[in-house]
Amino acid sequence: MHHTDSLRAAYLGKRVRCQEELLPLLEARLTPSRTDRGQARAIVATAFACFDAATATWLEGNGQGDILDLYDQGLAAVRG
């Protein structure tokens, strides 16, 4: 999927739709002062970007290691 343009495009389209469907769920969990749709969208996009980075790193390493650990490392990097 990551090396075939048509499959990657289909994946990205599904991912965008999934992110949009997750927005109301996240907005319901944010505090009233943080209900800005842009903030919710940024949070969801960041989570998906960290997953993509973990997946790419995992694939480069031929599936070695725990992909969830890579995801956690990505989130930690974003949080600073």
Side-chain angles (χ1 to χ4, degrees):
M1 174 185 76
H2 289 277
H3 303 293
T4 305
D5 291 341
S6 61
L7 292 176
R8 186 165 177 80
Y11 165 74
L12 291 174
K14 286 181 183 181
R15 187 177 86 175
V16 168
R17 286 189 300 277
C18 182
Q19 285 177 256
E20 290 298 316
E21 290 177 10
L22 288 172
L23 282 177
L25 299 173
L26 181 59
E27 288 174 319
R29 292 178 163 257
L30 293 175
T31 59
S33 63
R34 293 191 62 198
T35 57
D36 181 297
R37 183 151 265 221
Q39 290 177 338
R41 186 171 275 121
I43 292 168
V44 171
T46 299
F48 275 81
C50 289
F51 179 73
D52 286 344
T55 301
T57 302
W58 186 76
L59 290 172
E60 285 175 359
N62 296 315
Q64 297 296 313
D66 186 346
I67 197 168
L68 294 179
D69 287 341
L70 295 170
Y71 175 76
D72 288 340
Q73 291 169 14
L75 284 178
V78 171
R79 287 181 182 148

